[in-house]
Amino acid sequence: NEQVKDNLEKISETTKEIAERTQELSTIREEMTIIDKAAERLSEPEWNLPEPKGFMSIKSYIKQAVEPLIEKFKQAIKTASLKYIELKKKFNDLSRTTEYLKKQVIKLEKTIDSQDFYIKQLKVTEKEMDTLETYLGTDRFEKQMEKAFEHVKMLTRRKTNYRYKERGDEFER
């Protein structure tokens, strides 16, 4: 019964962690949307080459208009690339963690199901024991139970007292 409670707590904790990871994933998706919007901004005038002024030489046009724009592009690409790599790593880590946690939840749910089955069997056994006690009478039933417990203790002691050493097909005491 305590194992079931422990497993329920583990499932609760794991579910909370999945919710946190899902929130982090949605944050990353929002950041990726922001990056996409930033990429759309590249069509704005500040990211386009201006028309040359009057009789401007090619050399001065390159120096005054083209080179600063290229530097802006380089800086924007570096920033976006670093942010993309960071976000992609976070996304992959969170995806793996989420998958792991989902598997853990499934595993714990299976454990709880098997423990529920075991508890139901114990309840049936308890009913059978009550029936047996009613049939035998309380005194006789308790004596039989004491004998059974002593037998189990004896078997347990035998298992722990013997040390087996494997020698081919033979075992030694």
Side-chain angles (χ1 to χ4, degrees):
N1 204 2
E2 286 189 32
Q3 272 187 326
V4 171
K5 287 180 184 177
D6 289 343
N7 284 336
L8 287 174
E9 286 178 21
K10 286 179 185 176
I11 286 178
S12 175
E13 291 171 8
T14 305
T15 304
K16 286 178 187 175
E17 196 168 337
I18 287 174
E20 290 171 6
R21 300 293 183 226
T22 304
Q23 180 62 37
E24 289 180 30
L25 283 173
S26 65
T27 302
I28 289 173
R29 286 189 181 116
E30 289 172 11
E31 290 175 349
M32 291 175 107
T33 303
I34 291 169
I35 290 173
D36 288 342
K37 287 180 182 177
E40 289 175 9
R41 280 191 36 219
L42 292 176
S43 63
E44 293 177 3
E46 72 179 89
W47 294 99
N48 292 308
L49 281 173
E51 292 293 320
K53 298 175 186 169
F55 291 104
M56 190 179 226
S57 71
I58 292 176
K59 194 175 192 176
S60 62
Y61 179 71
I62 289 173
K63 200 170 213 157
Q64 291 177 4
V66 176
E67 287 178 358
L69 184 61
I70 289 173
E71 282 305 311
K72 265 185 166 178
F73 277 131
K74 285 180 181 178
Q75 192 59 38
I77 289 170
K78 282 181 187 177
T79 304
S81 296
L82 290 174
K83 190 70 172 175
Y84 172 76
I85 290 168
E86 179 185 327
L87 289 174
K88 187 173 183 178
K89 185 178 183 280
K90 278 184 183 178
F91 183 81
N92 289 336
D93 290 346
L94 290 171
S95 293
R96 281 192 296 273
T97 303
T98 303
E99 285 304 310
Y100 171 76
L101 292 172
K102 284 179 181 178
K103 288 177 184 176
Q104 288 296 101
V105 166
I106 290 169
K107 183 179 172 183
L108 289 170
E109 285 174 343
K110 286 180 181 179
T111 303
I112 286 177
D113 288 343
S114 69
Q115 288 175 348
D116 282 343
F117 178 74
Y118 182 69
I119 288 170
K120 286 176 186 175
Q121 284 183 324
L122 286 175
K123 286 180 181 177
V124 168
T125 304
E126 182 183 13
K127 288 178 186 176
E128 291 171 350
M129 297 298 266
D130 288 343
T131 305
L132 187 59
E133 183 178 5
T134 304
Y135 178 74
L136 291 175
T138 304
D139 291 338
R140 193 169 167 202
F141 174 76
E142 287 178 3
K143 286 179 186 175
Q144 291 298 320
M145 290 304 293
E146 285 176 23
K147 286 182 183 177
F149 285 129
E150 287 301 318
H151 184 68
V152 169
K153 284 181 187 177
M154 180 191 67
L155 291 176
T156 305
R157 270 186 258 138
R158 275 190 191 168
K159 274 186 180 178
T160 57
N161 288 339
Y162 290 102
R163 291 189 188 156
Y164 292 99
K165 216 177 203 182
E166 187 173 349
R167 289 189 180 170
D169 293 327
E170 294 180 35
F171 289 94
E172 186 179 283
R173 185 174 174 191

